[in-house]
Amino acid sequence: MNEPTAALPTVVIGAGPIGLAAAAHLVARDQDPLVLEAGPTAGTAVREWSHVRLFSPWAEVVDPAAEKLLAPTGWVRPDGAAYPSGGDWAESYLQPLADALGDRVRYGARVTGVSREGRDRVVDGDREEQPFTVHLVTAGGREERLTARAVIDASGTWATPNPLGGDGLPALGERAAADRITYRVPDLNDPAERARYAGKRTAVIGSGASAFTALAGLAGLAKEHPGTHTSWVLRRGVGASTFGGGEADQLPARGALGLRAKAAVDEGYAEAVTGFRTTAVERENGRLVLVAAEGRRLGPVDEVIVLTGLRPDLSFLGEVRLGLDVRLQAPVELAPLIDPNVHSCGTVYPHGAKELAHPEENLYLAGMKSYGRAPTFLAMTGYDQVRSIAAALAGDREAAERVELSLPETGVCGGAGLFDEPDSRQGESGSEGGGCCAPPSTVRTGTSNPRPYAAAADIPLG
């Protein structure tokens, strides 16, 4: 890369946990980051699930380089054994980190396109010598064009949830029924949300931790408001592992969540509807009916909660050359390591810049977006991704290829889901807390024989 281009900043898309960590690692290596955040604050996406508590304790969701950047400001990390909610994470860590980065973070800057200066995706000539061009729209509607030496897309997948339709496309009538369908875990502590579901019949679609959270929350609501009932719609059948590992789960909070979802079914607050792949949503006397491919009908119901995972928005990357797996939409070298058709959460290996590289040099997808449609992700994974990327951009190939993770010996906690309050059995104190293990010991893993870790449960990171 020529000297003028080398002097340009590295644009980081997204001021979530991974994007801000990327900026901190770049600063630590005397690189110049510019973080572009579409929302008005740091962790805008995280704040949208502020009522959800993480499975991971504070010790595992604070990036080491970020903590060093925060130290001179007087910031003190919260109790490492405590478990933050999304709101805690945003207010007590992400926003202070963004503030410490100062004018390196721009809010209200939505990226609409990334390319090479004077080169669309077809042109080869001197391509790698050209800076990146980044097009954005400000909150006021003004268009801008920036240049950058590198781009790290850590925009996450939160804004693009998967639809209700079992074939990956919106079901017929799904868009028209948008007033009765949500793609988020409801905050049942909010009076308006409680009123929306209390005494109503609701269909919950999905089989992960988010669906468990909704089932358990609605069961609690049903105990206070008779007539509240849930139909739990699964595209597969119910088996021994449907509710997770229970008391044997390496992540006790996740196991407890599965047990609470199971109790919701066993106690009659929810009924499981299996093998149901929705193709249509119909209106019937002001309520909704779900229709499956073979003609089965479910309902009528008052509300539908769709929690079928997330997918990456690749629309603004159409003019750069990405190397993505055709199924997962993850980088081709990373995809085999995270393919849910092959791997369980205990067989995903650490990875870095090498696995995240694309044909477009100095362009990286990081964080949850790097996982494409794979359903599990871990904050600590993202932190090591951007540590490795920052090293690669600084020319330190040895550090870029070295994987460094501080892992608890029995695996790493992570993910988002319902979490019992501190005074309950799975509280936030010591060995009875909702994490999987005691405070982490340092485990250094190299690329030649990496140690597997337990991945997170569908945390919507950005």
Side-chain angles (χ1 to χ4, degrees):
M1 184 170 289
N2 58 47
E3 191 63 30
T5 299
L8 294 172
T10 291
V11 163
V12 179
I13 305 174
I18 310 308
L20 292 174
H25 281 279
L26 289 165
V27 169
R29 288 189 169 272
D30 297 320
Q31 304 289 303
D32 184 20
L34 176 60
V35 182
L36 301 178
E37 166 59 44
T41 62
T44 297
V46 174
R47 293 172 193 270
E48 292 192 21
W49 48 274
S50 61
H51 58 291
V52 179
R53 193 174 298 279
L54 278 71
F55 291 143
S56 297
W58 275 109
E60 296 172 5
V61 296
V62 174
D63 176 78
E67 188 166 11
K68 290 180 181 178
L69 189 65
L70 282 163
T73 71
W75 182 84
V76 178
R77 184 172 68 180
D79 178 8
Y83 293 79
S85 66
D88 297 334
W89 203 14
E91 289 294 336
S92 298
Y93 169 61
L94 298 179
Q95 193 61 59
L97 176 54
D99 293 343
L101 287 163
D103 59 8
R104 298 184 180 100
V105 180
R106 282 189 59 183
Y107 301 111
R110 180 172 58 88
V111 174
T112 59
V114 178
S115 189
R116 291 279 189 178
E117 189 168 60
R119 309 287 189 276
D120 62 22
R121 66 183 296 161
V122 176
V123 178
D124 292 331
D126 299 322
R127 186 177 189 84
E128 293 178 359
E129 299 301 315
Q130 308 308 311
F132 287 96
T133 57
V134 180
H135 290 228
L136 63 90
V137 175
T138 69
R142 186 180 70 256
E143 292 183 289
E144 293 185 22
R145 176 180 176 274
L146 309 176
T147 53
R149 69 174 294 259
V151 174
I152 301 173
D153 181 359
S155 59
T157 57
W158 177 250
T160 46
N162 287 327
L164 170 59
D167 55 5
L169 300 172
L172 299 180
E174 181 174 347
R175 294 187 180 93
D179 60 320
R180 297 294 184 89
I181 300 176
T182 183
Y183 302 85
R184 310 300 188 202
V185 176
D187 180 2
L188 296 178
N189 290 320
D190 180 273
E193 288 284 271
R194 290 178 70 84
R196 179 173 179 175
Y197 298 100
K200 306 291 181 59
R201 298 189 67 87
T202 300
V204 174
I205 292 85
S207 59
S210 294
F212 290 173
T213 301
L215 289 172
L218 290 170
L221 187 64
K223 294 174 183 178
E224 301 176 20
H225 296 274
T228 304
H229 188 73
T230 304
S231 294
W232 181 29
V233 181
L234 298 101
R235 293 169 179 171
R236 298 183 176 87
V238 174
S241 62
T242 297
F243 296 97
E247 294 181 358
D249 199 316
Q250 284 190 342
L251 306 179
R254 182 179 62 186
L257 174 60
L259 291 175
R260 292 184 70 170
K262 185 176 187 299
V265 176
D266 292 345
E267 295 170 10
Y269 296 111
E271 60 174 338
V273 180
T274 61
F276 195 100
R277 296 177 179 270
T278 307
T279 59
V281 181
E282 297 178 358
R283 295 262 187 183
E284 185 176 293
N285 299 321
R287 304 171 84 189
L288 300 181
V289 174
L290 306 184
V291 184
E294 72 279 12
R296 271 198 299 164
R297 300 171 68 83
L298 172 66
V301 298
D302 300 288
E303 301 288 342
V304 178
I305 301 173
V306 181
L307 300 168
T308 54
L310 307 163
R311 60 179 63 177
D313 176 10
L314 302 170
S315 61
F316 60 85
L317 299 174
E319 292 305 320
V320 289
R321 298 174 177 181
L322 300 177
L324 297 176
D325 178 76
V326 295
R327 292 174 302 160
L328 295 185
Q329 295 179 300
V332 290
E333 290 202 32
L334 175 61
L337 304 179
I338 61 174
D339 187 349
N341 293 299
V342 177
H343 293 281
S344 69
C345 63
T347 60
V348 177
Y349 289 95
H351 51 275
K354 177 178 178 293
E355 291 81 6
L356 298 170
H358 291 276
E360 199 75 73
E361 186 177 358
N362 292 336
L363 172 72
Y364 297 94
L365 309 186
M368 189 67 207
K369 190 159 187 178
S370 71
Y371 269 44
R373 298 196 185 198
T376 57
F377 184 74
L378 181 68
M380 292 178 71
T381 301
Y383 294 158
D384 204 55
Q385 284 181 345
V386 294
R387 179 207 58 80
S388 175
I389 291 169
L393 292 174
D396 188 348
R397 300 306 305 181
E398 188 277 330
E401 294 176 7
R402 184 177 67 244
V403 178
E404 300 176 359
L405 288 174
S406 294
L407 301 178
E409 292 184 357
T410 57
V412 177
C413 313
L418 186 70
F419 191 91
D420 292 334
E421 293 304 314
D423 59 351
S424 65
R425 184 178 69 84
Q426 292 293 335
E428 294 183 42
S429 58
S431 60
E432 292 300 311
C436 61
C437 32
S441 58
T442 298
V443 181
R444 296 179 65 85
T445 56
T447 56
S448 59
N449 186 25
R451 173 182 177 173
Y453 56 80
D458 67 357
I459 184 168
L461 290 177

